[in-house]
Amino acid sequence: MAMFKTLFAAVGAASIASAVPLESRQVIPNYPPNELSTGFRLVVNVTDPATDLTPSVDGWELQGIHTGAGFNDAALTSEKGQIFYHNGTAAEIRFGEGSILSDGGSPPFPFGIYVQGEDQFDATYPAEHDVSINVGSGTIGVSLLSFPDPYFYLTAHATGTFVACPRTVPYYNQEFIVVRFAYDTFDPDTALPVHNVPEGCTAITLIPECDVLPELPEGSLSSHEYAAESKCYKDVSAINWPEYGP
């Protein structure tokens, strides 16, 4: 079962528990153990297994695919993906204003995760919002969810969800599983946000799995001065999410 289903169940359980007199209940939070690491990979958790792709992308990892000088589409691989780090000052990280970087090239220089804005669209699929891993500082606010949420995963600092989609990448004229961001719309009848997952795609959560951030060689254009220690999980695929919650 996917993590988000577990989270929704936990919210429901908390609502029921709130109706019980305080003296008759004891809530013991129980969340997956985490560790601290400067480097991490981003592992896919499929939000709703009923909408998973074939083959399943659950447990796949984020990896850029080259589409030009300094440009990479964000895609998924069944092998180990790129190593990323959370970049920003302590205050920026705390308030979700950091960015997610990776090092690439020779000498190494920073590649950031970019998410197109709500008024920007992919050139080939004009109803979809592209996610890329390009040279530069990345989109500010694309960061690991910060306190007080007890789970750790990538957020775009916007209302919506990352999705995995089988799409043809023109640079190769070949299909890859690429990552997009689907912005939510507001339902006035329920006063709740509604996911708008593109046809043929599946909603995903990108969860940090701890890894070692390699040392930068002399002459690097990248810098790890503001690479923050991040909370991450030792083995994302081994976590049985339904076991956890408040």
Side-chain angles (χ1 to χ4, degrees):
M1 186 179 294
M3 181 178 71
F4 272 20
K5 280 195 167 184
T6 305
L7 292 178
F8 293 147
V11 171
S15 300
I16 293 171
S18 66
V20 180
L22 184 61
E23 62 273 14
S24 67
R25 64 185 174 92
Q26 183 179 13
V27 177
I28 302 175
N30 178 36
Y31 299 108
N34 61 79
E35 301 178 357
L36 283 174
S37 177
T38 310
F40 53 85
R41 305 187 316 279
L42 289 166
V43 181
V44 169
N45 179 273
V46 174
T47 303
D48 181 2
T51 67
D52 198 356
L53 305 181
T54 302
S56 172
V57 294
D58 198 64
W60 287 31
E61 300 190 11
L62 188 64
Q63 174 72 45
I65 54 171
H66 177 80
T67 54
F71 294 93
N72 298 272
D73 273 359
L76 299 180
T77 176
S78 58
E79 302 177 355
K80 280 197 173 183
Q82 282 178 244
I83 296 177
F84 295 91
Y85 54 97
H86 203 170
N87 195 68
T89 65
E92 288 169 340
I93 299 297
R94 177 177 176 82
F95 294 106
E97 295 177 348
S99 59
I100 303 296
L101 302 183
S102 183
D103 302 317
S106 183
F109 42 88
F111 282 76
I113 296 179
Y114 289 86
V115 174
Q116 285 187 322
E118 205 164 355
D119 58 349
Q120 300 173 307
F121 299 93
D122 181 81
T124 308
Y125 298 88
E128 299 174 9
H129 305 280
D130 189 44
V131 179
S132 54
I133 306 172
N134 298 337
V135 169
S137 58
T139 299
I140 300 302
V142 174
S143 57
L144 297 181
L145 199 68
S146 54
F147 180 84
D149 197 292
Y151 295 97
F152 313 107
Y153 53 92
L154 191 71
T155 174
H157 211 43
T159 305
T161 182
F162 288 100
V163 297
C165 308
R167 296 290 184 261
T168 298
V169 176
Y171 187 87
Y172 300 95
N173 194 29
Q174 181 181 337
E175 187 176 272
F176 291 84
I177 306 299
V178 300
V179 177
R180 305 283 200 234
F181 190 79
Y183 287 90
D184 289 351
T185 53
F186 180 75
D187 185 340
D189 295 329
T190 62
L192 294 172
V194 177
H195 282 342
N196 294 293
V197 178
E199 186 176 353
C201 303
T202 186
I204 61 173
T205 309
L206 291 164
I207 304 174
E209 181 166 301
C210 307
D211 208 325
V212 176
L213 182 64
E215 294 277 343
L216 289 170
E218 189 174 343
S220 297
L221 300 178
S222 288
S223 168
H224 292 168
E225 181 181 359
Y226 294 107
E229 277 201 324
S230 300
K231 290 186 176 181
C232 49
Y233 301 103
K234 184 177 180 179
D235 185 352
V236 171
S237 295
I239 298 173
N240 184 14
W241 296 103
E243 291 183 0
Y244 299 98

